[in-house]
Amino acid sequence: MELPPPSIDQLSKLAASNLPPSQLFEILSRYETDARLLLAGNDDPQLLSLFYSTFFFVHLLTEQVPEARALSQRLPEALRHQDPYLQSCLTLLRAIWQNRHDQIYQILRNLPWSEGLQPLVQRYESFFQDQSLIAVSTSYEALRLPTAATYLGLDSTAAEQGDPAVIKKFTDCGWKWDAEAKLLYPTPIVLQSIDERPLNGIHDAMKLLGNRRN
Amino acid sequence: MSIVTDLVAASAALRDPVSLSDENYDRQLRDHTAYIRQLISKRDLGSIARDQELLNHFDPSDDSITYLLLLRLQIHTLQETSGGVLPTELLPFGRLWSQSAHYLEVFDRVQVRYIGHEWVQLIESMVLAAQATSKPLLAARLIKDALLRLDPSCAVLTSTHLLLAQLCLAARAYTCALPVLNKHICHIPALPSRASSNSLSIRCAEHESSQSFINETTGLASKLSYRDYLRYFLYGGMIYMALKEWRKASHFLGIVISMPTMGSVSMIMVEAYKKWILVGLLDKGKLCSPPSITAPQVIKTFQSLAKPYISFAQAFERGDMKRLEAEVDAARDIWHLDNNTGLVWQVVNAYSTHSLIKAKKVFAALTVAELQSHTSPSPMDVNGAVKANLASLVVSNAIEAKLAQPQLYSKDTMLRFADVSSLPEASRETKVQAQFEGERQLLEALFGGVEENSNGLGLSEEFIDTIVKGQQAWPSATVMNPSLGRDAGLEMDEDIMGDLS
């Protein structure tokens, strides 16, 4: 399938689209080696900046953090050192690499991001919140409200004061709140696989073994 | 009639294979290839070899044979006149580059089985052009897609696999190599004796194994050297290392270090052994023994050439942080020389994770303060940093454990190590399902290759020699027992691999 010519408008449309991250990754991978992007990018650093920052966030959405790091290493040298949006990407990458939840939310909310990239930044923030909620639910037996709030980037002052709105965020997920002990008791969130193939896989594997013995 | 009209007419005849039997289509493709080769070689092609419009008369997907032979002719002509310099038209985004790139995206996977040499030459010329302009990524993506298009199983190791791994490393585009690296290699290019029998096979037919058409006879694979074989798995291991997929990296490096040798050990194997020690520490937290099939004298050679790595691994295993740091300092130049500095630091950073995993063997649960006294690498650690680090390890799933914060801030957080039974049922099921799926894919790939390799070994000269020798020694032992013969064939790995050197 022929891709439309890369432009700021086209990349902004992709960033704002609801396409699954894997599909976005496929499209942007093809753009990375597209002559039209590379040739146009020579005259228009803004286009390259938007492309690489969009591609960077799509790496994060597809949970390819080591490859996002590799992408940061193959950025054009001048862009990596001068472009403020790509600088923000590198700062974010460092925080993700170090699992610094508090910093990650600050970076996403406070550092400069180009207008075309905003929808992806917001999409990643909510993706990261969901991922963190799942991880915390399986990693803690009990935790204090401010700790839980940090993982989700919620208002820490409100959490310290036991704000019911913050508590509700967690109890809505089935977590229990002990008002006396001021502790949250998470209910583990496990994503069910919608792929039926593994079950067929067991059957197929047994069939293969059976054939082999015969 | 002009030559172009001739070629267009001849190519058009190949566009309706459905109505033909495999035998007839095969004959037609062979005749067509021979006809075009002859046409190109006999006529005075001065003008058409440089005609920029020539390829526009053909569809690279429907007329894959004609298109590629003419494309190669144009590239060859330009190279001849450029005096050894890569022509601009062949460099990225030049006319011939673009036509070549488009061809590799859409070629007919059956037709190229008849022009394998030219297909490989096209790939090689694109690699050269991409490297000459320091844009390895441009060729890497094309080659990955072309390899998968030619043979979705990618089960026959070819020089193109090696080029892909090399380009992806150079471009730092590691995931680009994964669709090929993740496939199981079941065959190395067929040996000449077997390849000759393939010349009679019907290349255009459906084949159970891609080895039937990816071999020396078709030109899609050439005989790989011992070095090439080692390099592919070393580069593959390095790609997995970059992606922190330690288990897969260890598997690839394990293939390199356990390669049968004839006499001396290759430096590639030594290099792989050094990396393999470090990857083992990152994956399992211990100095792993080489695969059991590694020859004892080879292990001895490795150990004598990789002493600093072994001392470093022993310090890691003993949980002696001071010695570990001393080993890092003492061999700083060696790590640098071997390009392993980054990996060594990753091992040092993984020390606390593996200390925690070791603590799991002793304790069921303990407080952060107790944990600090058992695992802390340095007295400089402040409680807050240990806590944050611990929480980060648990939440990122680097260790299977659960944290329990107390109500009072003055009390310490408790860490409880989790075993499989304490995980939620759905989570256990998901894990088991994923393991089953992995095993299923592995079995499917292996069983596809086992039958064919077993037959191949049974027909090989080495096997027949063994049978003859066996008959002389024990005249009636194995002659009538084919299953014994098959087993004997499977035990001959060393001779077969030795042939590659």
Side-chain angles (χ1 to χ4, degrees):
Chain A
M1 189 187 73
E2 184 71 20
L3 293 174
S7 62
I8 289 187
D9 191 38
Q10 166 64 11
L11 290 172
S12 303
K13 266 187 203 159
L14 280 176
S17 74
N18 285 328
L19 287 175
S22 57
Q23 210 171 321
L24 283 174
F25 184 82
E26 193 50 45
I27 294 170
L28 293 167
S29 294
R30 287 175 60 194
Y31 272 140
E32 195 185 7
T33 50
D34 192 313
R36 295 169 303 180
L37 177 76
L38 295 173
L39 297 176
N42 286 339
D43 303 325
D44 187 359
Q46 214 187 332
L47 175 66
L48 276 190
S49 162
L50 181 59
F51 167 75
Y52 281 110
S53 48
T54 305
F55 200 19
F56 172 81
F57 271 91
V58 171
H59 276 78
L60 300 183
L61 284 168
T62 46
E63 298 181 82
Q64 299 188 71
V65 178
E67 186 66 20
R69 191 173 178 216
L71 176 73
S72 74
Q73 290 168 334
R74 57 178 195 262
L75 292 175
E77 201 68 14
L79 270 183
R80 184 169 42 196
H81 294 300
Q82 288 164 13
D83 186 82
Y85 306 126
L86 290 170
Q87 287 285 316
S88 301
C89 289
L90 296 179
T91 312
L92 176 63
L93 179 65
R94 202 169 303 121
I96 292 171
W97 202 264
Q98 295 168 356
N99 282 313
R100 295 295 306 268
H101 286 70
D102 51 341
Q103 287 185 6
I104 292 169
Y105 291 110
Q106 274 181 20
I107 292 166
L108 287 170
R109 290 166 191 171
N110 301 330
L111 286 193
W113 302 108
S114 64
E115 201 188 321
L117 192 66
Q118 290 291 349
L120 265 187
V121 177
Q122 281 156 19
R123 187 172 175 179
Y124 179 66
E125 184 180 328
S126 99
F127 170 81
F128 185 72
Q129 265 182 334
D130 291 346
Q131 293 293 98
S132 301
L133 185 72
I134 294 168
V136 173
S137 80
T138 54
S139 306
Y140 279 89
E141 288 175 1
L143 75 166
R144 297 183 199 110
L145 191 59
T147 309
T150 308
Y151 281 113
L152 265 65
L154 303 176
D155 184 349
S156 57
T157 318
E160 292 282 359
Q161 291 165 354
D163 184 346
V166 178
I167 296 169
K168 194 171 176 300
K169 290 257 181 200
F170 297 99
T171 50
D172 281 352
C173 304
W175 295 22
K176 289 188 185 106
W177 169 246
D178 182 341
E180 210 168 295
K182 294 195 184 326
L183 285 175
L184 276 167
Y185 292 90
T187 305
I189 303 168
V190 180
L191 293 179
Q192 291 287 348
S193 167
I194 47 163
D195 185 7
E196 287 300 316
R197 210 174 141 71
L199 288 174
N200 297 336
I202 298 172
H203 178 254
D204 292 348
M206 290 306 166
K207 214 166 102 183
L208 277 168
L209 286 167
N211 289 343
R212 183 74 193 141
R213 285 199 191 101
N214 294 335
Chain B
M1 208 194 259
S2 76
I3 189 166
V4 176
T5 322
D6 284 355
L7 289 168
V8 169
S11 293
L14 295 175
R15 289 192 176 190
D16 186 25
V18 184
S19 57
L20 296 172
S21 66
D22 283 344
E23 287 83 356
N24 286 339
Y25 189 46
D26 178 66
R27 199 177 311 118
Q28 206 176 30
L29 287 168
R30 283 176 196 272
D31 291 348
H32 179 72
T33 309
Y35 167 70
I36 296 191
R37 282 200 173 119
Q38 193 188 26
L39 204 64
I40 286 173
S41 68
K42 277 193 176 171
R43 298 243 186 147
D44 173 17
L45 295 168
S47 57
I48 78 153
R50 289 182 186 79
D51 180 1
Q52 298 198 359
E53 296 301 314
L54 174 67
L55 291 168
N56 295 340
H57 295 283
F58 305 93
D59 182 325
S61 154
D62 289 332
D63 311 317
S64 289
I65 292 178
T66 314
Y67 195 97
L68 180 55
L69 290 176
L70 292 175
L71 181 60
R72 283 297 310 155
L73 170 75
Q74 295 212 328
I75 292 173
H76 183 70
T77 310
L78 258 183
Q79 279 174 330
E80 269 190 342
T81 51
S82 68
V85 183
L86 267 173
T88 324
E89 289 187 57
L90 196 53
L91 294 178
F93 314 131
R95 177 180 66 89
L96 287 173
W97 168 278
S98 303
Q99 283 170 329
S100 304
H102 181 51
Y103 180 82
L104 288 177
E105 283 168 358
V106 299
F107 66 84
D108 181 290
R109 68 186 75 188
V110 171
Q111 289 191 29
V112 295
R113 295 175 192 176
Y114 295 80
I115 41 168
H117 287 291
E118 287 82 358
W119 189 85
V120 172
Q121 280 170 352
L122 184 72
I123 297 260
E124 287 169 352
S125 62
M126 298 204 74
V127 172
L128 273 180
Q131 283 172 335
T133 49
S134 305
K135 291 189 169 81
L137 182 63
L138 296 181
R141 291 246 155 83
L142 286 171
I143 292 177
K144 182 253 301 176
D145 291 339
L147 259 178
L148 290 165
R149 187 172 180 79
L150 175 72
D151 170 25
S153 80
C154 282
V156 183
L157 183 62
T158 65
S159 55
T160 315
H161 284 65
L162 179 60
L163 284 174
L164 175 67
Q166 241 169 338
L167 288 169
C168 289
L169 272 180
R172 293 176 186 268
Y174 308 112
T175 48
C176 176
L178 292 188
V180 173
L181 274 188
N182 284 341
K183 307 275 184 192
H184 298 283
I185 297 289
C186 296
H187 309 283
I188 48 175
L191 298 171
S193 57
R194 297 210 57 226
S196 57
S197 69
N198 280 320
S199 62
L200 302 172
S201 74
I202 298 170
R203 292 184 196 172
C204 63
E206 287 286 329
H207 293 280
E208 266 187 37
S209 158
S210 50
Q211 198 187 15
S212 307
F213 57 86
I214 300 180
N215 51 49
E216 284 189 70
T217 311
T218 62
L220 287 169
S222 53
K223 192 175 174 182
L224 290 171
S225 71
Y226 183 73
R227 249 176 88 81
D228 292 337
Y229 191 88
L230 294 175
R231 278 163 64 214
Y232 174 71
F233 286 102
L234 174 65
Y235 294 159
M238 287 164 70
I239 288 170
Y240 284 128
M241 279 154 55
L243 294 170
K244 300 188 183 300
E245 293 199 30
W246 306 122
R247 197 143 299 176
K248 287 181 181 173
S250 183
H251 173 65
F252 266 58
L253 296 173
I255 292 173
V256 180
I257 65 174
S258 60
M259 185 70 67
T261 56
M262 293 180 65
S264 59
V265 171
S266 155
M267 279 313 287
I268 300 174
M269 292 170 77
V270 177
E271 200 180 323
Y273 180 71
K274 291 172 179 174
K275 292 187 194 305
W276 185 78
I277 289 178
L278 300 174
V279 168
L281 293 174
L282 286 162
D283 180 29
K284 298 197 172 103
K286 62 176 188 180
L287 175 59
C288 302
S289 310
S292 57
I293 52 166
T294 317
Q297 73 273 16
V298 172
I299 297 177
K300 273 187 195 160
T301 313
F302 285 154
Q303 286 170 343
S304 66
L305 292 172
K307 275 185 185 154
Y309 288 84
I310 293 171
S311 306
F312 175 73
Q314 284 167 343
F316 186 96
E317 260 190 324
R318 282 185 200 140
D320 185 345
M321 188 62 184
K322 275 189 184 160
R323 209 190 124 195
L324 191 70
E325 283 170 347
E327 294 289 350
V328 172
D329 281 339
R332 213 171 270 271
D333 291 344
I334 295 174
W335 315 138
H336 180 68
L337 212 65
D338 293 342
N339 285 323
N340 283 335
T341 308
L343 208 52
V344 166
W345 281 112
Q346 286 195 58
V347 175
V348 174
N349 291 336
Y351 177 85
S352 51
T353 311
H354 287 285
S355 301
L356 273 174
I357 293 168
K358 277 181 198 161
K360 185 180 176 181
K361 290 176 186 162
V362 182
F363 303 101
L366 66 177
T367 63
V368 173
E370 286 167 338
L371 190 72
Q372 192 180 3
S373 67
H374 280 93
T375 62
S376 178
S378 138
M380 294 296 286
D381 268 333
V382 287
N383 196 33
V386 173
K387 242 186 222 169
N389 189 26
L390 179 66
S392 147
L393 288 174
V394 175
V395 173
S396 65
N397 215 13
I399 50 169
E400 285 185 349
K402 283 202 166 197
L403 292 161
Q405 283 188 326
Q407 179 187 4
L408 296 174
Y409 282 78
S410 56
K411 284 192 172 177
D412 220 348
T413 300
M414 176 70 79
L415 175 81
R416 219 181 302 282
F417 290 110
D419 56 27
V420 178
S421 60
S422 68
L423 293 171
E425 197 179 332
S427 169
R428 282 204 307 268
E429 275 181 16
T430 310
K431 276 192 171 182
V432 172
Q433 280 187 7
Q435 280 170 355
F436 262 113
E437 174 59 8
E439 293 299 316
R440 186 195 64 77
Q441 286 175 2
L442 184 64
L443 281 172
E444 201 172 73
L446 284 179
F447 283 167
V450 159
E451 283 299 323
E452 194 165 340
N453 278 334
S454 180
N455 288 337
L457 290 171
L459 293 171
S460 70
E461 285 168 16
E462 291 90 340
F463 176 73
I464 291 165
D465 286 348
T466 312
I467 289 286
V468 171
K469 282 178 197 160
Q471 282 172 336
Q472 286 161 359
W474 304 285
S476 61
T478 59
V479 175
M480 298 306 289
N481 190 338
S483 66
L484 274 180
R486 268 205 292 276
D487 289 346
L490 285 170
E491 282 171 9
M492 290 176 62
D493 272 355
E494 191 160 331
D495 289 341
I496 288 156
M497 301 315 292
D499 242 11
L500 284 174
S501 61

